[in-house]
């Protein structure tokens, strides 16, 4: 039993480490900088705005998947979750607007329909939807990885259960069983019974199954 647990313990799904997080955000940052740089035809502006935006993206994404969802969504406190998410988006909006305005450019919304110097409804909606897109994207990745990890765990448990059942069946075929069977075969052989070869063959098939076939199934 302990050998089975050891076997499946060594087959754990690789955990997502800090390195994987850094690689993901670096790739996303480079892609976003190039995309908006091409759109604005100003890669320096795109770099500056993304340097401001990405810490906000990361903060809200991790806040959502590690705090809001476990504490509220998983506990079915949906109204509280929505309220806190909207509040965090609004705080993000104010912080992003002011950082962009004072550190990058007074034109905080070059892709918009108007030049603004203060928060407007259209700007707010556009920024919040964009932030929701990032949060949803990151959350979807986290949920998918969690599902794969749980699926692997359940599959391993099912395999371990099957092996345990097979081992249990093996232990049921005790030496006493074989001793009685051999005695019966011996008695039949003395009587020159025609059943003797058939019984020997059945016993041989049973032994082959438990000694070889079950091991092959375990390795699959």
């Amino acid at each position: 039993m302990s050998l089975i647990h050891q076997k499946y313990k060594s087959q754990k799904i690789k955990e997502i480490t800090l390195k994987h997080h850094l690689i993901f955000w670096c790739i996303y940052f480079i892609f976003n900088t190039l995309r908006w740089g091409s759109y604005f035809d100003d890669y320096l502006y795109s770099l500056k705005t993304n340097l401001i935006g990405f810490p906000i993206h990361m903060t809200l994404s991790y806040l959502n998947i590690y705090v809001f969802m476990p504490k509220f969504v998983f506990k079915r406190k949906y109204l509280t979750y929505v309220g806190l998410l909207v509040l965090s988006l609004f705080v993000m909006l104010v912080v992003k607007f002011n950082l962009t305005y004072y550190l990058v450019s007074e034109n905080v919304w070059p892709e918009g329909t108007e030049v603004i110097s203060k928060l407007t409804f259209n700007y707010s909606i556009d920024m919040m939807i964009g932030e929701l897109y990032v949060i949803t994207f990151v959350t979807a990745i986290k949920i998918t990885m969690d599902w794969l990890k749980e699926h692997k765990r359940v599959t391993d448990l099912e395999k371990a259960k099957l092996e345990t059942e097979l081992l249990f069946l093996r232990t049921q075929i005790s030496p006493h069983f074989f001793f009685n069977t051999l005695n019966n075969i011996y008695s039949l052989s003395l009587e020159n019974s025609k059943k003797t070869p058939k019984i020997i063959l059945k016993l041989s098939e049973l032994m082959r199954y438990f000694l070889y076939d079950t091991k092959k199934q375990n390795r699959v």
Side-chain angles (χ1 to χ4, degrees):
M1 186 72 175
S2 59
L3 290 175
I4 293 175
H5 285 303
Q6 255 184 349
K7 175 182 175 182
Y8 288 106
K9 188 176 180 182
S10 64
Q11 295 180 355
K12 292 194 308 182
I13 281 185
K14 291 182 179 179
E15 297 291 334
I16 298 177
T17 63
L18 177 61
K19 178 183 72 175
H20 296 106
H21 286 265
L22 292 175
I23 291 173
F24 167 77
W25 286 112
C26 284
I27 293 174
Y28 193 8
F29 177 85
I30 293 170
F31 169 77
N32 220 43
T33 301
L34 294 175
R35 179 169 71 101
W36 286 108
S38 176
Y39 179 85
F40 297 134
D41 195 23
D42 188 345
Y43 289 95
L44 181 60
Y45 176 83
S46 178
L47 176 63
K48 290 178 180 178
T49 53
N50 276 288
L51 285 173
I52 289 174
F54 262 76
I56 295 173
H57 296 334
M58 295 168 67
T59 300
L60 287 179
S61 296
Y62 289 130
L63 190 64
N64 182 62
I65 61 180
Y66 291 118
V67 180
F68 290 168
M69 291 189 68
K71 287 185 176 295
F72 305 109
V73 174
F74 298 160
K75 295 180 180 179
R76 298 184 179 181
K77 298 179 181 179
Y78 302 121
L79 289 178
T80 305
Y81 170 76
V82 172
L84 287 173
L85 184 61
V86 171
L87 178 62
S88 65
L89 286 172
F90 180 75
V91 172
M92 169 280 303
L93 178 67
V94 175
V95 172
K96 185 175 183 179
F97 176 86
N98 284 284
L99 288 176
T100 305
Y101 185 84
Y102 290 108
L103 298 180
V104 180
S105 171
E106 293 183 358
N107 183 12
V108 298
W109 196 27
E111 70 273 26
T113 56
E114 56 185 335
V115 177
I116 62 172
S117 59
K118 61 180 180 180
L119 287 174
T120 64
F121 179 78
N122 289 335
Y123 172 80
S124 300
I125 294 297
D126 186 74
M127 291 299 107
M128 292 176 79
I129 289 176
E131 206 63 48
L132 275 174
Y133 164 78
V134 177
I135 293 172
T136 303
F137 179 57
V138 174
T139 302
I141 293 175
K142 177 66 164 59
I143 291 174
T144 301
M145 295 304 298
D146 286 348
W147 181 85
L148 290 173
K149 185 176 180 180
E150 181 64 17
H151 179 71
K152 180 69 167 56
R153 187 186 70 83
V154 171
T155 302
D156 286 348
L157 284 175
E158 289 175 351
K159 288 181 179 179
K161 180 182 176 183
L162 177 61
E163 287 197 11
T164 303
E165 290 173 351
L166 290 173
L167 286 174
F168 177 74
L169 286 174
R170 285 182 186 178
T171 59
Q172 300 307 299
I173 305 180
S174 62
H176 182 67
F177 164 79
F178 284 107
F179 179 74
N180 287 338
T181 304
L182 291 172
N183 276 339
N184 291 332
I185 293 173
Y186 176 71
S187 298
L188 290 172
S189 66
L190 291 176
E191 299 172 1
N192 293 321
S193 173
K194 294 182 180 180
K195 294 181 180 180
T196 304
K198 185 177 180 180
I199 293 176
I200 293 174
L201 183 62
K202 290 292 184 183
L203 181 61
S204 174
E205 290 174 352
L206 185 63
M207 287 294 296
R208 183 182 298 108
Y209 174 76
F210 281 103
L211 290 177
Y212 302 110
D213 292 349
T214 55
K215 290 182 179 179
K216 290 179 182 178
Q217 292 176 12
N218 292 343
R219 289 195 294 268
V220 174

